Amino acid sequence: MTDRIAALSALLPKASDNPRALIAIARHMIAAGDRVRAIALAEQVHAMTGGRGEAGITAAEILSDGVFSWHFLIPRDRQRNDAYEQALLRAIRPGCRVLEIGTGTGLLAMMAARAGATVVTCEADPTIASAARDVVAANGYADRITVVNKHSTDLDPTRDMGGLADILVSEIVSNDLLSEGVLAAHEHAVARLLAPNGVVIPLRGTIRVALARDLRDRAPRLGEVSGFDLGAFNRLAAPYEMIRVGMDQVALCSDPVDLFSFDFATAVPRKPERREFDIASQGGQVDGLVQWIALEMDRVGRYENRPESGTASCWGALLWRFPEPLETQAGELVKVGGAHERDRVRLWAAN
């Protein structure tokens, strides 16, 4: 403990009944590098104030820092929830032990406990881990679920888990499938934390792509604004845009292609890959490549957020825009490329 944190801690008894004083100490704790104790103070203030007033709002700001909007969006995806729960129900047997990577709200852990498993779920973010413990307790599963505030690579299978897991479940899948580190986390967990012949959910993931036309009525990049040419600023734009699935924001202009598929049940590290290939256009204007994901939960269940499915998804698709739109004929081949670096995906026009 640093001298600054020790001095701040010494102030706590005098501030114990004063939400504004406690939140001020919490903010100084963050500046001093003790986020865990700052979070505990923010939780105390939030409970005292009900999130109201200046102190309550400041506590909410501290607690929400680093908690992304998708933490609230993902649990509302009923199709995704059902796909996971059905796979868990097919896999869980009496007395089995489940390890979940990435607790979030605790929803998947509670599904596993409801199906009869004993669950250890790990969450690296202390704010999320603390809130998940409260969710688990509020739903009556505190005796079946242990929330461990660690990254999965820091888990000790004996000390933290009580033994190797029979089932590994995770939902650390991003819009591009890979950028939340799902490959590295699964490779480590399968090698170190899962019993031989253990079950992995999801079993596989695939990145799917197709030629696409943007249906949104807006300019894709900056141009003339108020008499000024802002085009040079476009080099700072991200090379892809998120597309909300189920909102008719893009039209597919080709059949889908499976770009890369990944086995989540292997401990063998997957090497980066690159490929170029032709896609046959269905004709008309092509603005770029759209990318989405398909998950094989097990050998039966599947989840896919295909942009034209008409069903909303908690995951967005990604539109990788070509430098200029292409006018194509039906059957015309468009050369494109794709690569992944284990935790990142890139797509491009290769013509």
Side-chain angles (χ1 to χ4, degrees):
M1 182 183 295
T2 67
D3 291 343
R4 183 179 180 187
I5 292 174
L8 290 168
S9 299
L11 297 174
L12 290 174
K14 299 178 181 179
S16 60
D17 297 325
N18 187 330
R20 294 184 65 184
L22 287 172
I23 210 66
I25 294 172
R27 295 176 70 176
H28 284 291
M29 286 280 191
I30 292 172
D34 194 341
R35 183 168 176 253
V36 173
R37 298 190 71 188
I39 288 169
L41 289 174
E43 289 178 336
Q44 180 180 342
V45 171
H46 197 275
M48 293 169 67
T49 63
R52 299 180 180 86
E54 182 180 0
I57 292 297
T58 307
E61 288 178 344
I62 292 172
L63 294 174
S64 64
D65 183 37
V67 181
F68 300 101
S69 60
W70 43 260
H71 283 102
F72 299 87
L73 177 65
I74 285 174
R76 297 191 180 105
D77 187 337
R78 178 58 65 86
Q79 184 182 5
R80 168 262 190 194
N81 296 345
D82 289 348
Y84 268 96
E85 184 158 32
Q86 291 304 310
L88 286 166
L89 288 170
R90 286 189 289 268
I92 289 172
R93 298 293 181 266
C96 76
R97 182 183 293 113
V98 171
L99 168 64
E100 181 195 18
I101 298 178
T103 309
T105 62
L107 178 61
L108 298 186
M110 291 188 294
M111 286 178 176
R114 181 166 64 186
T118 299
V119 185
V120 172
T121 177
C122 63
E123 173 58 59
D125 188 286
T127 310
I128 297 173
S130 178
R133 287 191 191 97
D134 289 344
V135 170
V136 166
N139 285 275
Y141 287 106
D143 61 332
R144 304 285 297 275
I145 299 173
T146 302
V147 180
V148 181
N149 180 202
K150 290 183 178 181
H151 192 279
S152 61
T153 54
D154 295 325
L155 288 177
D156 182 288
T158 301
R159 184 169 58 251
D160 295 320
M161 298 167 50
L164 296 175
D166 302 299
I167 298 172
L168 168 65
V169 63
S170 78
E171 205 279 62
I172 46 175
V173 172
S174 57
N175 292 334
D176 72 353
L177 190 70
L178 300 183
S179 61
E180 287 188 38
V182 63
L183 292 184
H186 272 246
E187 289 159 4
H188 174 270
V190 170
R192 305 282 184 88
L193 306 175
L194 185 67
N197 302 314
V199 174
V200 177
I201 303 171
L203 183 63
R204 295 183 63 83
T206 299
I207 296 170
R208 312 199 77 199
V209 301
L211 300 176
R213 180 167 57 255
D214 190 352
L215 300 179
R216 296 169 296 174
D217 184 20
R218 64 176 186 79
R221 293 286 188 266
L222 291 172
E224 188 276 333
V225 177
S226 299
F228 300 98
D229 180 4
L230 305 185
F233 202 80
N234 287 330
R235 69 172 180 264
L236 305 184
Y240 59 83
E241 304 162 38
M242 194 183 80
I243 300 298
R244 296 185 65 182
V245 173
M247 301 289 287
D248 294 326
Q249 294 188 335
V250 295
L252 302 191
C253 301
S254 72
D255 291 334
V257 173
D258 289 348
L259 180 60
F260 300 113
S261 291
F262 304 90
D263 181 356
F264 294 148
T266 181
V268 179
R270 181 71 172 258
K271 294 181 179 180
E273 297 170 275
R274 181 184 187 278
R275 59 178 294 212
E276 291 189 349
F277 53 99
D278 294 326
I279 298 185
S281 174
Q282 295 170 350
Q285 179 175 311
V286 173
D287 293 311
L289 282 166
V290 66
Q291 164 196 344
W292 68 96
I293 64 174
L295 299 176
E296 295 175 40
M297 309 310 295
D298 52 20
R299 301 191 185 281
V300 177
R302 181 180 173 87
Y303 178 102
E304 182 174 352
N305 67 331
R306 179 174 171 138
E308 283 190 331
S309 66
T311 303
S313 172
C314 59
W315 286 290
L318 300 178
L319 176 65
W320 296 77
R321 193 177 294 279
F322 293 160
E324 300 292 340
L326 302 177
E327 288 298 332
T328 66
Q329 302 296 319
E332 181 178 345
L333 297 180
V334 179
K335 186 174 287 296
V336 299
H340 77 84
E341 298 173 3
R342 288 178 48 82
D343 61 355
R344 182 181 298 272
V345 180
R346 294 188 182 89
L347 304 178
W348 62 85
N351 284 4

